[in-house]
Amino acid sequence: MSDLEVSIKQAKEALDENNAKKALKILKPFKSSLKKENADNVILNEVFADAYLDNGQVEKAYPILARACELDPEGQVGGPNKFFTMGQIIGGQDGVSIITRGIMNISNIGGENLTNDQVEKIVGGLLSMIEIWMTDLCMEPNAEKQCEELIQKAMELTEGKSPETWSTLGSIKISQQKFGEAYEAFSQAWNFFDLKKQEIGNDINDNSGTSQRTSLQSEYVDLLQSLLSLAKMCLEVGAYEVALKVIAAVRDIDEDNTEGYYLEGFTYYLMSKLEIFKLNHPEVNLHPENIYEFNQVIQEVPLDLSHEPIAQFIYDSRLALSFALQTGTNADSKDEIVQELLGGANILLQEIGGPLDPSELSRIRKGEIVNENEDFEELDIEDEYSD
């Protein structure tokens, strides 16, 4: 095995470990060769592009990725993933066309007997196309029809068992203001994400081999962003109980995830607001179909922190938001997403009594303090107002 082949293998392993900087360091000696003797090396171009993308350097990845697509138009050498990535970067109709090329390449290779991996990649491409139709091309007259056809195809390929497909269906239903159907789709998404998480976890425990275990662990961590997105969409339709289950799964994967803690705190905050709103407006029958209206007036709902029915919600919100601030302490000051989360957590805490004392948080982490009321009956739009 040549030095180049060894380096490519090591760089891919680093990327599997979510260490893009390490991958780029490994590849650095070959950077100049991309314009010389290795200009036509598809695999080297692809791994360089992946490393730059994972490191957040899209501008550097783009020309290299474009070169890889040009060198391997049928995906015979490096596979179809580059077409899906390129399509997402470009967006618009051109992006849809490039993703379609990637899907066709897989179909041509697999024929009528597609493997599970090939089906998963095709479905990923279909969902990426839906995202483009819902954003860049949302004003096109056939956008809704395209989304419906693509999601139906994805459902057929996965036999209705793909959590990502159910999440995307829920997003489509929100855009159509069919909030009840979105609620059901997100509930299904969680059910299948839970199964997927358990299956990966079991596979990790059953595989002691370093290579296979590393790949499975990477797949496990890759669930994070999908779960966080699902939790946020659940909040839009009042699926608070589902959101909390999703957030608990996030913590199983990454116990120090700042966004997960923020979303947990925000969920309990919404639940306390909803409880007050219900008491002040008993004549209003809230359900997923009209929860959007509640979301519009939520800031106008005053909180009485001494009100016993919301005391547990308020405490749990303070607890989660305090952990969000704690986990974000060492975050990069240039990380705009984390800084926005920390700012949001501080604003909410100002309204609900401020952060908990660090010593209390430390004791909770160590298990020295147990929340005696943690088994309270959770408030959920669908359950509370389904009649």
Side-chain angles (χ1 to χ4, degrees):
M1 189 177 287
S2 67
D3 290 345
L4 174 59
E5 290 172 327
V6 170
S7 295
I8 288 176
K9 182 176 182 294
Q10 292 175 342
K12 287 183 176 181
E13 290 173 351
L15 291 175
D16 285 340
E17 297 169 357
N18 297 303
N19 194 337
K21 285 183 170 54
K22 179 180 178 181
L24 287 171
K25 185 176 180 179
I26 293 169
L27 294 170
K28 187 176 181 179
F30 304 96
K31 184 177 179 180
S32 61
S33 73
L34 284 177
K35 296 181 179 180
K36 299 176 183 177
E37 66 269 24
N38 286 314
D40 294 339
N41 188 314
V42 174
I43 304 302
L44 182 60
N45 275 277
E46 286 187 8
V47 72
F48 253 111
D50 288 341
Y52 279 131
L53 286 171
D54 286 1
N55 201 43
Q57 297 173 281
V58 178
E59 71 287 349
K60 288 189 176 181
Y62 178 82
I64 300 174
L65 192 62
R67 177 63 176 163
C69 291
E70 178 185 334
L71 292 170
D72 186 26
E74 303 300 323
Q76 296 284 350
V77 179
N81 289 352
K82 55 183 168 289
F83 299 106
F84 299 144
T85 304
M86 193 68 177
Q88 289 175 303
I89 293 174
I90 294 177
Q93 192 60 63
D94 289 341
V96 170
S97 298
I98 292 175
I99 294 173
T100 300
R101 189 201 307 178
I103 291 175
M104 292 302 297
N105 288 344
I106 297 175
S107 298
N108 291 336
I109 294 171
E112 296 183 0
N113 299 309
L114 296 170
T115 65
N116 289 336
D117 183 58
Q118 288 171 329
V119 169
E120 189 172 322
K121 288 180 178 179
I122 288 176
V123 170
L126 294 172
L127 300 184
S128 295
M129 290 166 69
I130 290 173
E131 183 178 352
I132 293 174
W133 279 107
M134 292 181 67
T135 52
D136 299 358
L137 303 176
C138 65
M139 300 306 292
E140 295 294 320
N142 62 331
E144 184 172 352
K145 180 181 178 182
Q146 288 292 328
C147 289
E148 294 283 1
E149 291 178 355
L150 291 168
I151 199 67
Q152 181 62 35
K153 181 63 175 176
M155 282 290 183
E156 291 173 359
L157 285 170
T158 59
E159 299 178 343
K161 297 178 181 179
S162 161
E164 295 85 0
T165 301
W166 280 106
S167 285
T168 301
L169 176 61
S171 179
I172 292 172
K173 295 304 178 183
I174 285 180
S175 70
Q176 296 171 335
Q177 296 191 332
K178 297 178 180 179
F179 300 111
E181 293 180 35
Y183 185 105
E184 293 301 324
F186 295 144
S187 297
Q188 289 280 26
W190 161 242
N191 289 336
F192 287 112
F193 266 126
D194 191 27
L195 288 173
K196 186 174 183 177
K197 173 176 167 289
Q198 291 180 39
E199 289 173 356
I200 297 174
N202 291 336
D203 288 343
I204 290 174
N205 293 331
D206 294 340
N207 284 275
S208 57
T210 303
S211 177
Q212 180 68 9
R213 188 179 179 86
T214 299
S215 177
L216 288 167
Q217 288 173 332
S218 178
E219 188 178 352
Y220 196 62
V221 172
D222 285 344
L223 291 175
L224 274 175
Q225 288 307 312
S226 295
L227 289 170
L228 289 168
S229 295
L230 176 59
K232 286 182 277 190
M233 290 189 291
C234 282
L235 298 183
E236 293 189 53
V237 295
Y240 300 139
E241 183 179 356
V242 178
L244 289 173
K245 290 177 181 178
V246 175
I247 293 164
V250 168
R251 188 171 303 122
D252 286 342
I253 299 171
D254 179 9
E255 63 179 358
D256 292 324
N257 189 280
T258 301
E259 186 171 5
Y261 277 119
Y262 173 80
L263 288 174
E264 181 180 6
F266 187 52
T267 301
Y268 283 120
Y269 171 82
L270 290 175
M271 292 166 75
S272 65
K273 288 268 188 173
L274 181 60
E275 180 67 18
I276 295 295
F277 184 85
K278 184 177 70 171
L279 289 171
N280 293 339
H281 303 278
E283 76 285 358
V284 178
N285 181 26
L286 283 174
H287 48 79
E289 290 293 357
N290 66 9
I291 191 64
Y292 180 81
E293 296 176 20
F294 168 72
N295 289 337
Q296 300 306 302
V297 300
I298 190 171
Q299 291 301 326
E300 301 172 11
V301 178
L303 284 178
D304 180 359
L305 301 184
S306 64
H307 188 54
E308 184 60 29
I310 67 169
Q312 190 62 44
F313 293 150
I314 293 297
Y315 178 80
D316 288 333
S317 181
R318 292 177 64 201
L319 176 62
L321 293 171
S322 297
F323 274 131
L325 294 182
Q326 189 179 77
T327 57
T329 300
N330 298 320
D332 186 346
S333 60
K334 296 181 181 180
D335 189 328
E336 295 181 2
I337 295 177
V338 172
Q339 295 307 316
E340 184 177 346
L341 290 171
L342 297 181
N346 274 313
I347 291 173
L348 292 177
L349 283 166
Q350 289 174 12
E351 184 179 353
I352 60 177
L356 299 182
D357 188 273
S359 63
E360 183 175 355
L361 296 179
S362 178
R363 292 173 63 195
I364 290 173
R365 273 197 180 276
K366 295 176 181 178
E368 296 175 3
I369 299 178
V370 178
N371 186 352
E372 295 179 353
N373 298 313
E374 63 183 0
D375 292 328
F376 65 87
E377 183 179 351
E378 293 172 334
L379 184 64
D380 193 72
I381 290 293
E382 180 77 357
D383 295 337
E384 291 287 319
Y385 302 102
S386 59
D387 294 335

